[in-house]
Amino acid sequence: MAVTSISGTDNPYAGSHYVAQSNDKNTLTISSYIQLLATQLQNQDMTNPMDNSDMMNQMTQMAMVQALSTMTESMAANNVMNTTTYAAGMIGKEVTVAVTEAGESGYETLVGSKVGIVESVNLSGSSPTFRLKDDPKDYPLSYLMGIGDVSDTIGDGGSSGEELE
């Protein structure tokens, strides 16, 4: 029996990464913090007890972390709502979108622009996409260059001259 591979992948030099997901064992919540503080107070050295200012500093830091987490979650939800509202508000408007094609490096390269009327918006994916009238392609919201015909102000990217009515 011949060994064809000693790695778990076909390419042993391929890079990979691991990102730990948050769970109750690797995330400090307010209840786990209070439990940790109670254990610390129970097991402290009676000849050298914990300083009140140290305990207040720790409690203040934990409250700040919790407030920042709540604020971050709220801002993320607000950003999703703003993006959704903006995308839905484009229906029926004339827009200029970037036209790209895959370059030699595999990245999208700007080759021009296209002007058309937004016919539909798809909100089901991770980021909204929109479709122009008489154009089957879905454009990511990031390809939006302007509301209206702004193809003459784009510069070196140029306009493909292809317009949809």
Side-chain angles (χ1 to χ4, degrees):
M1 181 172 139
V3 176
T4 57
S5 176
I6 58 171
S7 173
T9 65
D10 291 336
N11 182 358
Y13 301 106
S16 63
H17 64 283
Y18 174 76
V19 178
Q21 300 295 319
S22 293
N23 61 37
D24 59 342
K25 293 183 180 181
N26 68 1
T27 305
L28 185 65
T29 62
I30 193 72
S31 60
S32 58
Y33 168 73
I34 290 173
Q35 197 173 28
L36 182 64
L37 181 64
T39 304
Q40 184 179 2
L41 289 173
Q42 285 176 342
N43 297 319
Q44 68 180 333
D45 182 9
M46 289 301 177
T47 61
N48 186 15
M50 184 178 196
D51 187 22
N52 285 342
S53 62
D54 287 343
M55 186 169 23
M56 287 303 294
N57 285 338
Q58 287 180 7
M59 292 176 77
T60 302
Q61 288 174 354
M62 190 60 195
M64 290 293 290
V65 166
Q66 186 177 17
L68 286 172
S69 287
T70 303
M71 185 175 69
T72 301
E73 290 171 5
S74 175
M75 288 179 68
N78 191 25
N79 188 28
V80 167
M81 180 59 75
N82 286 340
T83 303
T84 301
T85 304
Y86 180 73
M90 288 189 336
I91 295 175
K93 295 199 182 331
E94 181 181 56
V95 296
T96 304
V97 296
V99 176
T100 62
E101 59 184 37
E104 293 177 14
S105 61
Y107 294 106
E108 294 289 316
T109 305
L110 179 67
V111 294
S113 65
K114 181 182 281 190
V115 177
I117 306 290
V118 176
E119 183 176 60
S120 65
V121 175
N122 182 357
L123 303 171
S124 64
S126 60
S127 65
T129 60
F130 60 94
R131 190 172 284 183
L132 300 177
K133 185 177 180 183
D134 299 326
D135 186 357
K137 182 176 179 183
D138 285 332
Y139 295 95
L141 197 55
S142 60
Y143 280 34
L144 180 67
M145 299 175 84
I147 304 295
D149 185 356
V150 296
S151 58
D152 57 336
T153 61
I154 293 172
D156 291 339
S159 173
S160 65
E162 184 176 352
E163 294 186 340
L164 297 176
E165 293 296 327

